[in-house]
């Protein structure tokens, strides 16, 4: 009986650790940090006017989402802008 109880406790602890690990692995980067990286990259990159317009549009959308505390979506906009810049 003690063995069964001990096995249940170990399983529960391992499951809880997995859930915490999975949550932190999928956590978004703070959008403010990502925005700083984007703006620094914009200062050093040479883009066509059309591409710079796309990057600026994505930055604006990301800032709107960041201000709404939607870091995940904001980071997606910022990541897309970084991709356009080759970063």
């Amino acid at each position: 009986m003690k063995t069964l109880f001990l096995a249940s406790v170990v399983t529960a602890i391992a499951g809880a650790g997995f859930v915490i690990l999975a949550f932190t692995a999928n956590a978004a980067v703070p959008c403010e940090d990502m925005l700083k990286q984007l703006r620094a990259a914009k200062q050093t990159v040479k883009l066509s006017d059309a591409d710079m317009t796309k990057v600026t549009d994505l930055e604006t959308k990301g800032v709107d989402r960041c201000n709404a505390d939607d870091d995940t979506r904001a980071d997606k906009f910022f990541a897309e802008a970084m991709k356009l810049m080759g970063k």
Side-chain angles (χ1 to χ4, degrees), residues 10-86:
V10 169
T11 302
I13 291 171
F18 176 74
V19 169
I20 291 170
L21 180 61
F23 176 74
T24 56
N26 291 325
V29 174
C31 57
E32 295 84 4
D33 293 344
M34 194 96 168
L35 179 59
K36 287 178 189 175
Q37 294 172 13
L38 173 69
R39 288 182 173 162
K42 274 179 66 175
Q43 298 296 319
T44 62
V45 74
K46 302 260 190 233
L47 295 175
S48 68
D49 290 341
D51 284 343
M52 187 56 82
T53 300
K54 290 177 188 176
V55 168
T56 302
D57 184 48
L58 289 166
E59 179 183 0
T60 301
K61 289 177 182 178
V63 169
D64 288 343
R65 290 291 79 218
C66 190
N67 289 336
D69 290 331
D70 186 358
D71 287 15
T72 302
R73 289 187 63 204
D75 288 349
K76 287 180 182 178
F77 286 122
F78 296 149
E80 192 175 336
M82 294 289 274
K83 186 177 176 182
L84 277 173
M85 293 187 292

